[in-house]
Amino acid sequence: MHILLIEDDPLLGKAIQRALEQLAYTLTWIRDGREAMAAVNDPSVDLLLLDLGLPNRDGFEILTEARGRRLRTPIIVMTARDDLESRIRGLDAGADDYLVKPFHLDELAARIRSTTRRAQGMADNRIEVGPLVLNTGAVEVTYQGKKVELSRREFALLQYLMERAGRVVRREQLESSLYGWDNEVGSGALDVLVHGLRRKLSFDAIKTVRGFGYTIPLDHP
């Protein structure tokens, strides 16, 4: 999952970045309200973490304008504005969740999982495709009942494909979700990740659709 963090506090931003990257999320961090408005519509972004007290543009304006443009990306508001009126205003403006600062990073991670589950119509943190089971809460994967140790990026890639099992996912989508806006990623990085996953799971677990992308079949044995 590619998360766009819009937060001007350097200490909090670094803490969130470190915590979420350890949980296999890809994170792009923007500190300015004006830059944020141009970034929220990027199709590679799967979820927004939005601070309200931003320089150059208020977070409420960003939230309202984004929803006015019919942006459906889940948005979690993070703010020190803890009065009831602000919470109601934020939720009514289109926030999927409202988190008051200061908060524990474990709670933020749980809110991200909860918001993602609702957006995808999932009942819990488990994604199952045949013998493959991925738990986003425990950051754990089992295959045919046995635990599989994956790197952060391997886990993120597998999660993205399992959430879209039965559909072919374009290479560009996968690269955007896994690497964000990192222009230094090599052209073969995705292929290396897919090869590593196949070795750890099964060479039939991920199918290549030549000239298009990859898919995990729903009928994987």
Side-chain angles (χ1 to χ4, degrees):
M1 177 184 289
H2 180 197
I3 295 176
L4 179 61
L5 171 64
I6 306 170
E7 170 62 62
D8 66 325
D9 184 318
L11 293 179
L12 179 59
K14 287 178 182 178
I16 291 173
Q17 183 178 43
R18 184 167 53 249
L20 295 187
E21 287 181 347
Q22 287 176 349
L23 293 173
Y25 295 112
T26 299
L27 189 133
T28 299
W29 179 13
I30 290 178
R31 300 161 175 81
D32 180 86
R34 191 176 295 118
E35 291 179 26
M37 196 61 248
V40 295
N41 291 306
D42 191 290
S44 74
V45 175
D46 300 302
L47 183 139
L48 299 172
L49 298 177
L50 175 63
D51 179 30
L52 295 183
L54 296 166
N56 297 319
R57 188 133 194 212
D58 184 76
F60 268 127
E61 292 181 28
I62 295 171
L63 175 62
T64 303
E65 185 170 334
R67 292 310 190 208
R69 294 179 182 178
R70 298 285 188 259
L71 183 74
R72 296 187 177 183
T73 307
I75 300 176
I76 298 177
V77 165
M78 310 179 302
T79 180
R81 303 177 193 178
D82 62 351
D83 60 284
L84 180 60
E85 182 181 351
S86 293
R87 295 200 299 272
I88 292 173
R89 183 184 172 198
L91 293 168
D92 282 345
D96 294 272
D97 204 348
Y98 194 101
L99 192 56
V100 176
K101 300 176 182 178
F103 51 79
H104 197 286
L105 291 173
D106 287 343
E107 181 183 5
L108 173 61
R111 299 283 188 115
I112 290 171
R113 291 192 294 270
S114 175
T115 301
T116 302
R117 286 199 307 270
R118 290 198 302 272
Q120 297 176 350
M122 295 166 54
D124 57 27
N125 292 326
R126 288 163 56 91
I127 308 171
E128 297 186 39
V129 182
L132 265 173
V133 180
L134 183 146
N135 189 312
T136 59
V139 195
E140 181 178 281
V141 172
T142 59
Y143 181 67
Q144 296 180 338
K146 297 180 180 178
K147 188 174 179 180
V148 182
E149 295 293 337
L150 301 180
S151 70
R152 179 178 69 85
R153 283 256 163 81
E154 287 172 340
F155 184 92
L157 170 60
L158 184 62
Q159 178 180 345
Y160 199 88
L161 289 172
M162 288 180 68
E163 288 172 344
R164 296 157 181 80
R167 290 184 279 163
V168 180
V169 183
R170 290 181 176 273
R171 290 182 60 93
E172 307 88 77
Q173 281 181 261
L174 289 168
E175 289 171 343
S176 294
S177 181
L178 292 169
Y179 303 107
W181 302 332
D182 184 355
N183 295 321
E184 298 182 3
V185 177
S187 59
L190 179 60
D191 300 305
V192 172
L193 274 180
V194 171
H195 180 72
L197 269 178
R198 285 172 170 158
R199 290 188 62 183
K200 293 179 179 181
L201 301 172
S202 160
F203 281 94
D204 295 323
I206 302 173
K207 300 288 187 182
T208 300
V209 181
R210 202 169 293 277
F212 196 91
Y214 298 97
T215 183
I216 290 182
L218 285 170
D219 58 354
H220 178 62

